[in-house]
Amino acid sequence: MSRPTALITGASAGFGAALARALIEQGWRVLGTGRRADRLTRVAAELGPSFQAVPGDVTDPADRARLADAARGAGELALVVNNASRLGPSPLLGLADYPLDEFERVLRTNVVAPLAILRIVLPLLRPDGVVVNISSDAAVEPYPTWGGYGSSKAALDQLTAILGAEHPGLSIYAFDPGDMRTEMHQAAFPGVDISDRPEPATVVPALLRLLAEKPKSGRYAAADFVAGRAS
């Protein structure tokens, strides 16, 4: 039986790199992309030949075209994880002061790029394939100064729900991993000690359980699987 293949965006650090590592430990092959080529190269060196690095920015059509070529070369995909995200200004700003050009960049990264990736990979997914779009509690909670990021993730949630309705044969999820000790989360709280947040690797088992149980398409949080509430 051939090894399943996953495509993960934002795979050069944080949750994306931790997920790639866990999947490879379970016998997967991973096609990983990230805009910081040096970091992606280090991940590839650590994870070995089961990890294929495709450096690039998911908002760049030329880089997405290269990713599409690599995905087609990898063969049938079992899993696609849209993990790459853009936070916005640091420190975070209220919507009345939010630079509109930065808001457009956030939307291009967090909403347009995942849809563009999915348009590429849908023909490559196995009939029982899985799509996971990484969301946030900021998509559903009105946190002050989180309007740019939060509204982009709310749009991604709705995009995910509609794709699930349009492709009932696939499993298509929005997954909220919760707060994690990542570079992006630190940028949201400059100068604040976030060492109390969990490491990304400790959240990965919840997503692996989602993949194993494959509930109906929809929005889930890591806490659903830690507490066993997804069913």
Side-chain angles (χ1 to χ4, degrees):
M1 185 175 180
S2 62
R3 300 165 65 195
T5 301
L7 185 155
I8 302 175
T9 71
S12 62
F15 189 71
L19 176 60
R21 184 177 299 107
L23 289 173
I24 287 171
E25 289 173 353
Q26 292 191 354
W28 289 63
R29 297 184 304 158
V30 174
L31 184 66
T33 189
R35 60 186 177 86
R36 296 178 179 176
D38 56 338
R39 292 188 178 188
L40 196 66
T41 298
R42 287 198 293 271
V43 171
E46 176 191 347
L47 298 184
S50 293
F51 184 90
Q52 180 182 349
V54 186
D57 187 333
V58 292
T59 67
D60 186 324
D63 286 348
R64 289 200 301 263
R66 284 190 286 273
L67 182 62
D69 288 341
R72 284 189 285 267
E76 197 172 50
L77 297 174
L79 171 66
V80 176
V81 181
N82 279 306
N83 172 68
S85 295
R86 186 180 185 92
L87 174 67
S90 174
L92 298 175
L93 298 172
L95 285 175
D97 301 311
Y98 210 99
L100 292 181
D101 58 344
E102 179 59 28
F103 186 46
E104 290 177 353
R105 283 192 284 269
V106 169
L107 292 174
R108 283 200 299 272
T109 304
N110 298 354
V111 185
V112 178
L115 178 58
I117 296 292
L118 290 176
R119 287 163 60 97
I120 290 169
V121 302
L122 278 173
L124 305 176
L125 276 170
R126 296 191 327 199
D128 62 345
V130 180
V131 173
V132 179
N133 293 326
I134 301 300
S135 185
S136 167
D137 62 338
V140 295
E141 296 291 342
Y143 300 129
T145 73
W146 283 82
Y149 181 81
S151 60
S152 73
K153 290 298 184 177
L156 181 64
D157 281 1
Q158 179 67 351
L159 181 150
T160 304
I162 292 172
L163 284 167
E166 292 175 343
H167 300 275
L170 299 174
S171 298
I172 302 181
Y173 305 117
F175 180 77
D176 172 12
D179 289 351
M180 294 181 290
R181 198 184 315 169
T182 63
E183 183 178 332
M184 189 174 74
H185 197 77
Q186 183 66 78
F189 300 99
V192 176
D193 181 5
I194 64 166
S195 61
D196 60 327
R197 274 68 163 185
E199 292 281 2
T202 67
V203 183
V204 167
L207 181 52
L208 296 180
R209 184 174 168 192
L210 168 69
L211 300 178
E213 295 186 2
K214 292 184 75 170
K216 66 180 182 179
S217 293
R219 188 184 196 280
Y220 298 93
D224 295 329
F225 293 90
V226 172
R229 296 194 297 269
S231 59

